[in-house]
Amino acid sequence: MRLRHKPWAADKLKSYPQYVVDQPELIKGKWQSRFEQRQPLHIEVGSGKGQFIVEMARKNPTINYLAIELQTSVAVSILELQIQAHLPNLQILNAHGGDLDHFFAKGEVNRVYLNFSDPWPKTKHAKRRLTAPRFLAQYKDIMDPEGEIHFKTDNQGLFEYSLASISQFGYCFRQVWLDLHHSDFEGNVPTEYEEKFSQKGQPIYRLEAYWPQDSNN
């Protein structure tokens, strides 16, 4: 993503504390206090400009959503959408997705969305992929035992890597789609990248994974 630096973005994020979480470590285990109602918590790691998670929050008022985006100049775009929408079930966190165990207590999250993550194509950078074992360990730690990972990408190499990494770590697949937009899947909410790549004729890959309940690990 080519970023346009917005020097005012950090100040704007700080000026909306009702929507933007400033010190997530302080509310570890108390995320429900950020929302009007106590409901299942779904997080998106790497939310980009927020098209996906804002629409999900709009469509599903009985679920609480947290958008996590590292780039301040991008996170402010999510805030701008939220200022227009005023969704009571959406919060924003401008932070690194690799620190999730610092932000959430065990079992506090019900679902993790990974949409069009950076593929980090070089083998030496594999550990930075959001489906690498160190990240999968964090998801397992913060998710409810019945929680799920939902992953979408246009990158075949990343998808193949993710299938192997997730399976080898111990997760099971609920379902896998090799061409999402030409499948019978209903209710798909596209991201900005998804629309762009789909218009070019590229297949969109998707999977849903869960931790087996009979596992003691």
Side-chain angles (χ1 to χ4, degrees), residues 106-177:
K106 290 182 180 296
E108 193 169 18
V109 174
N110 300 92
R111 183 174 297 172
V112 175
Y113 289 102
L114 306 172
N115 292 319
F116 297 85
S117 311
D118 191 327
W120 293 103
K122 294 183 179 179
T123 302
K124 66 179 181 179
H125 293 151
K127 64 181 181 181
R128 300 182 184 181
R129 298 167 188 163
L130 292 184
T131 49
R134 72 185 185 98
F135 289 103
L136 295 175
Q138 289 193 53
Y139 307 148
K140 179 178 180 293
D141 189 49
I142 67 172
M143 275 201 303
D144 177 270
E146 296 183 357
E148 297 180 346
I149 297 172
H150 289 195
F151 172 71
K152 283 197 292 188
T153 183
D154 68 299
N155 189 291
Q156 183 178 350
L158 177 61
F159 194 69
E160 291 173 350
Y161 167 85
S162 300
L163 287 172
S165 179
I166 292 171
S167 177
Q168 290 167 8
F169 191 85
Y171 283 92
C172 295
F173 297 113
R174 194 169 304 285
Q175 198 162 351
V176 174
W177 293 262

Side-chain angles (χ1 to χ4, degrees), residues 45-58:
V45 183
S47 294
K49 295 181 179 179
Q51 176 174 302
F52 170 83
I53 200 160
V54 171
E55 185 60 20
M56 289 293 286
R58 196 191 316 271

Side-chain angles (χ1 to χ4, degrees), residues 164-198:
S165 179
I166 292 171
S167 177
Q168 290 167 8
F169 191 85
Y171 283 92
C172 295
F173 297 113
R174 194 169 304 285
Q175 198 162 351
V176 174
W177 293 262
L178 299 180
D179 192 351
L180 179 64
H181 291 188
H182 292 93
S183 72
D184 59 359
F185 181 80
E186 296 181 357
N188 180 55
V189 174
T191 73
E192 298 93 341
Y193 275 125
E194 184 173 349
E195 290 180 343
K196 174 183 176 182
F197 294 129
S198 181

